[in-house]
Amino acid sequence: MSDLITPMSIRVAVTLRIPQKIAAGRLTAQALAADTNSDPDVLERVLLHLVSAGVLTRDDGGWFGLTRVGDQLLVEDDKGVNPDFLDLGTVAGRAELSFVRLPDVVRNGTIVAYSAQYGSSFWEDLGKEPSSAAHFDRVMAEGMKKRVQEIAESYDWGALGSVVDVGGGNGTLLAGLLRAHGSLRGTLVDRDAGPATRTFRDAGLSDRAEALSGSFLEPLPLGAGGYIVSRIQSDWNDAGVRTILGHCADAAGTRGKVIVVDEFAAEEGVRTDSETDLRMLMYYGGKERTMEQVRELAADVGLSVTSLGRAADWTIMELSSTAM
């Protein structure tokens, strides 16, 4: 329970691409050190620890190999970024190290650990690293792909006429809604419009969809029938969520809808995913919220729940202006 040595050794190995290099035939500590510009003695000592931890093997000739556990570290995307956020060269990998600030956060709940550790926010650093941003979008999109069809079928999106996907990433959700509802038009707003523009073009949806570079912390395009907030509310503190929902409410006016599409924490007070909840806290100062907590934040900006629907394990919460 006190071991930080093995997790850090694994992260170093992943960052240096040791599993991939072993799989490619660089089997000795000397060869691996030369290929990674590392100190041979120190690297060998780390690798020997990974042997004792069951991640690597080593034969009598000093050649290293991968165990079944080590084989799992070979999984990577087309940019060579480990999807489990083990690579310390990425924003997400560095974010894990912000957990050294957990005692400070426990004592002072207003500290955002990532910002305290690095002097800038997770989102600022993500914006500076295109490869990390692309990886982040892909991870989010993979989770959405599993649910987009059910989300599209579980609400009458076509009746809205047009929607704005607020912070919609690479456009996976919006593209799925447009494919399922032929009369629907959509706009996506996110920090970088490029990935979503490519998604819409590749799906043949450019005539009904556009992507705009912008921030949901600023005013949004006016007059759409619906404003979608999906997988965002847990990434921000209460003030941030109020700002996002407030901009949606202002843009929707009295006729439009604000639609939160998300998986909420259990109402009985036990976090359904405590690891994710703590990551939200440390990375962004956010939290995994219950449906009632989101309802209360929405009420603070003049929105009330008008309908609730289910799409597998997710909820579709429709909000409307209380000024109607």
Side-chain angles (χ1 to χ4, degrees):
M1 292 175 70
S2 64
D3 180 24
L4 286 177
I5 300 169
T6 301
M8 287 305 300
S9 296
I10 290 173
R11 283 175 163 80
V12 168
V14 169
T15 303
L16 296 177
R17 296 292 181 265
I18 295 296
Q20 288 77 10
K21 295 180 190 304
I22 290 175
R26 273 87 85 194
L27 303 178
T28 67
Q30 290 72 23
L32 290 164
D35 214 37
T36 59
N37 194 29
S38 303
D39 182 281
D41 176 64
V42 174
L43 179 61
E44 183 171 35
R45 291 159 69 181
V46 171
L47 299 180
L48 287 173
H49 176 69
L50 292 177
V51 171
S52 69
V55 177
L56 301 179
T57 62
R58 185 177 184 268
D59 65 18
D60 292 338
W63 288 17
F64 289 93
L66 299 170
T67 66
R68 291 182 64 184
V69 174
D71 281 337
Q72 297 177 47
L73 303 179
L74 288 168
V75 178
E76 59 182 1
D77 62 25
D78 58 1
K79 297 293 185 182
V81 179
N82 190 281
D84 294 327
F85 296 169
L86 295 174
D87 184 348
L88 299 176
T90 68
V91 175
R94 292 197 302 275
E96 291 289 284
L97 299 188
S98 69
F99 271 89
V100 299
R101 295 279 185 160
L102 184 56
D104 301 328
V105 176
V106 170
R107 294 187 182 102
N108 182 342
T110 64
I111 292 174
V112 179
Y114 186 99
S115 301
Q117 182 73 3
Y118 298 110
S120 55
S121 74
F122 178 93
W123 303 113
E124 289 170 338
D125 286 353
L126 194 68
K128 298 172 186 174
E129 297 188 10
S131 62
S132 291
H135 173 59
F136 182 87
D137 285 343
R138 280 193 295 274
V139 171
M140 295 299 102
E142 284 302 315
M144 185 60 72
K145 284 178 183 177
K146 302 172 185 177
R147 300 171 173 85
V148 65
Q149 189 61 37
E150 288 195 62
I151 292 171
E153 294 173 353
S154 299
Y155 183 83
D156 189 6
W157 300 99
L160 298 173
S162 63
V163 295
V164 174
D165 191 351
V166 179
N170 72 356
T172 297
L173 173 59
L174 184 54
L177 299 182
L178 296 180
R179 281 193 294 265
H181 301 272
S183 63
L184 185 65
R185 304 183 66 85
T187 299
L188 181 144
V189 177
D190 211 324
R191 62 186 183 278
D192 180 4
T197 297
R198 290 189 287 274
T199 295
F200 301 148
R201 182 192 62 220
D202 294 345
L205 296 168
S206 297
D207 59 330
R208 291 194 288 130
E210 67 172 340
L212 304 176
S213 295
S215 170
F216 43 57
L217 299 177
E218 299 174 354
L220 296 165
L222 301 174
Y227 290 79
I228 304 169
V229 180
S230 179
R231 302 190 75 178
I232 291 175
Q233 57 85 17
S234 59
D235 295 349
W236 298 87
N237 60 20
D238 287 352
V241 174
R242 288 191 194 95
T243 297
I244 295 164
L245 292 177
H247 285 314
C248 290
D250 291 342
T254 58
R255 295 186 178 184
K257 308 291 185 183
V258 179
I259 304 148
V260 179
V261 182
D262 216 327
E263 181 179 21
F264 296 102
E267 294 291 340
E268 54 270 18
V270 178
R271 302 288 179 193
T272 53
D273 186 346
S274 58
E275 286 189 10
T276 298
D277 181 50
L278 287 177
R279 283 193 171 94
M280 298 301 99
L281 171 68
M282 301 299 281
Y283 291 13
Y284 325 118
K287 66 189 297 182
E288 293 287 285
R289 291 180 173 84
T290 66
M291 195 182 307
E292 182 58 31
Q293 288 171 329
V294 174
R295 188 197 302 259
E296 290 172 358
L297 292 173
D300 290 342
V301 297
L303 294 170
S304 62
V305 176
T306 46
S307 74
L308 292 171
R310 295 290 292 174
D313 53 345
W314 283 29
T315 296
I316 301 176
M317 176 189 288
E318 181 192 87
L319 303 163
S320 298
S321 170
T322 54
M324 292 178 62

